[in-house]
Amino acid sequence: CQRLIHAVGPRWEGNRDQAKSLLGICIGNVLDSVSDLDSVAIPAISSGIFGFPAAVCAEEITTAVRQWLKINKLSQLKTVYLLDVKTSILKIMQKQLGKAL
């Protein structure tokens, strides 16, 4: 591990469209901060105590990663690992990634 980034995502309360947007921004900021590395691992930020439904969290994270990689083609970052301690969330992220391919 070359770097550890602590990112705090938004809570799933109040304006939910804003919460989804903030989660995407959070993921983009994480990717910006590691763009000089060749890989990064990102957990399902906000899916735990912050209350994001797993499916919404997975969709927002995978969308943000795809958009960032598309825009930042010259970045050294080539591999993004999506992970979580809950197998159920991993399965949802896999499903979201399958939709993207």
Side-chain angles (χ1 to χ4, degrees):
C1 177
Q2 293 181 336
R3 254 180 245 156
L4 176 65
I5 310 295
H6 179 80
V8 178
R11 293 184 180 273
W12 184 251
E13 57 187 32
N15 185 335
R16 292 182 175 176
D17 287 334
Q18 182 181 24
K20 291 193 294 188
S21 177
L22 290 171
L23 181 56
I25 291 168
C26 177
I27 297 300
N29 288 340
V30 168
L31 294 171
D32 286 342
S33 70
V34 298
S35 63
D36 60 320
L37 302 178
D38 63 351
S39 66
V40 64
I42 300 175
I45 296 171
S46 290
S47 68
I49 62 169
F50 285 3
F52 257 76
V56 176
C57 180
E59 181 177 357
E60 293 305 314
I61 290 174
T62 55
T63 298
V65 168
R66 282 193 309 269
Q67 288 176 348
W68 191 92
L69 290 173
K70 185 176 181 180
I71 292 168
N72 295 281
K73 291 182 180 184
L74 298 179
S75 166
Q76 289 182 339
L77 191 59
K78 302 300 177 210
T79 305
V80 178
Y81 299 97
L82 300 179
L83 52 94
D84 200 78
V85 295
K86 296 180 183 173
T87 304
S88 60
I89 292 177
L90 289 175
K91 288 180 181 179
I92 293 169
M93 283 201 261
Q94 286 176 326
K95 185 177 179 181
Q96 288 296 332
L97 289 171
K99 289 181 184 179
L101 301 176

